[in-house]
Amino acid sequence: MAKKTYDLLFKLLLIGDSGVGKTCVLFRFSDDAFNTTFISTIGIDFKIKTVELQGKKIKLQIWDTAGQERFHTITTSYYRGAMGIMLVYDITNAKSFENISKWLRNIDEHANEDVERMLLGNKCDMEDKRVVPKAKGEQIAREHGIRFFETSAKANINIEKAFLTLAEDILRKVCDLTTMSFFQSQHQYFYLSHTLTLFFKIN
Amino acid sequence: DSDMPLMEESEKLRFGEESSPALAFEKDAFELTVEDVYDISYVIGRDLLKISSTGEEVSDLQFRIVRVLEMFETLVNKYNLSLEELKMERDNLKSELDRIQTAGPNQLVVDLTDPNRPRFTMQELKEVLQERNQLKAQLMVAQEELQLYKSGILPQAEPAMVEVDLETPAATEHSPATINDAKEEKTTIGKL
């Protein structure tokens, strides 16, 4: 009657310029709360949230990185372990959007090749201060073949949807891998892919 | 009245021959030194002597002229001292700048008396953050187990499978051989 707390562990990573709201996005998802005071993340932090998808309990370990350049060497060392990466920009900050291509290059350079990526245009509640049209976000996402959402941690828009969609995309990938082979027998932990660094328990 | 310009002309010629004190009158005001002021005083004094009338009005005027020349001396002196001080200040700043620049364009000069100066290396910060996150994860595992234990789901004989992946970024490359290790790890965490 031993009860496991989860079936799968997914490691996600949030990246993007300083001040775009990565920590707020994560705080909204993990604690359903919002704080207006800006506290710059020091290096790297994480939160845990367990969700249920397709009847499976999935523990999400979400790494929140500092956007500031000076923490670059610390944060990039966490790319490798991530199965999903959320690139966040601020729709009221043109520079943060321009830098998305820089963050995409960082992923190419430091993350696993099969990492699932997603683009988020945060602060979409601030329509009067918008400088990045939604179409521009959609365009760059299309060019790189990744999903895109406009979110607001403050107004709780698309936050849960974004995380669940990213988790679903990873789950789909993982299931494809299990059906391909790799597993040995039932009631065992299966090593799926050394790049995914994932242990999968099937009941 | 009509012969005034002539007089000035002849004076000029006379002083020109001597080629000294009167030259101070030709100088730019900002280039005057105290010596120039003395030259000017000398020339004015000499000219005053030439005025033959010795009435009270003339002596009053002489007194005022002397007073104005004294004030002039003070101002010129003060001006030159200030100028000298500013030049010294400039030279000090210049040499300070040179000292800082010799540290190289990409190097930072740190004030050792500043309590907020940077003092930890990136590697040290990285290690501290890793430890913090490890402890945070362990706390979460402990909290989860406590919750399970409290709710009676967790039998003491059989530990629950609670695991938070805490691999350091450098150690994320796994080979299939680590499956067994991972199982053991889980058991250990369960026993904790």
Side-chain angles (χ1 to χ4, degrees), chain B residues 10-25:
Chain B
S10 62
E11 294 241 319
K12 224 179 199 174
L13 281 170
R14 202 144 40 84
F15 285 124
E17 285 161 18
E18 292 168 24
S19 80
S20 57
L23 282 179
F25 286 93

Side-chain angles (χ1 to χ4, degrees), chain B residues 132-149:
Chain B
R132 195 268 310 260
N133 288 332
Q134 227 152 38
L135 292 170
K136 191 170 156 182
Q138 278 171 15
L139 174 69
M140 282 175 174
V141 169
Q143 278 174 336
E144 231 167 67
E145 284 200 25
L146 183 66
Q147 200 57 45
L148 289 176
Y149 184 76

Side-chain angles (χ1 to χ4, degrees), chain A residues 1-2 5-6 9 43-46 48 59 61 63 70-71 73 77-78 80 188-189 191 194 197, chain B residues 122 125-126 129-130 132-133 136 140 144 153 158 161-165 169 172 174 182-183 186:
Chain A
M1 93 158 235
T5 52
Y6 64 96
L9 173 71
I44 186 126
D45 197 356
F46 77 93
I48 299 273
K59 182 168 264 190
Q61 187 180 30
W63 292 92
R70 59 193 178 132
F71 295 119
T73 54
S77 66
Y78 284 79
R80 183 68 58 195
Q188 283 278 340
Y189 295 97
Y191 187 67
H194 74 274
T197 61
Chain B
M122 201 50 101
L125 177 61
K126 196 173 175 174
L129 287 172
Q130 261 172 23
R132 195 268 310 260
N133 288 332
K136 191 170 156 182
M140 282 175 174
E144 231 167 67
I153 298 169
E158 205 174 353
M161 294 301 176
V162 231
E163 179 211 355
V164 173
D165 198 340
T172 43
H174 272 240
K183 272 196 229 170
K186 280 182 196 194

Side-chain angles (χ1 to χ4, degrees), chain A residues 5 17 33 49 53 58 88 97-98 117 130 153 161 195:
Chain A
T5 52
D17 277 12
K49 169 109 174 168
L53 286 176
I58 297 165
V88 190
F97 181 72
E98 286 163 30
R117 296 167 303 168
R130 177 194 286 275
K161 193 175 176 184
T195 52

Side-chain angles (χ1 to χ4, degrees), chain B residues 29-94:
Chain B
F30 293 110
E31 281 171 6
L32 287 176
T33 64
V34 191
E35 281 71 31
D36 293 325
V37 177
Y38 298 150
D39 282 352
I40 287 166
S41 304
Y42 168 76
V43 173
I44 289 174
R46 202 175 57 182
D47 288 356
L48 280 172
L49 284 177
K50 273 184 262 166
I51 300 170
S52 52
S53 61
T54 52
E56 201 178 307
E57 282 168 18
V58 176
S59 73
D60 276 357
L61 183 62
Q62 276 182 349
F63 181 78
R64 289 200 184 102
I65 289 171
V66 169
R67 177 75 191 120
V68 169
L69 286 170
E70 277 172 358
M71 279 156 43
F72 189 37
E73 177 199 16
T74 309
L75 288 174
V76 169
N77 211 3
K78 181 83 200 284
Y79 167 77
N80 282 324
L81 279 172
S82 308
L83 196 67
E84 199 55 39
E85 276 170 20
L86 287 172
K87 275 181 182 166
M88 277 167 73
E89 181 77 0
R90 183 201 59 193
D91 291 346
N92 282 344
L93 289 172
K94 243 184 192 168

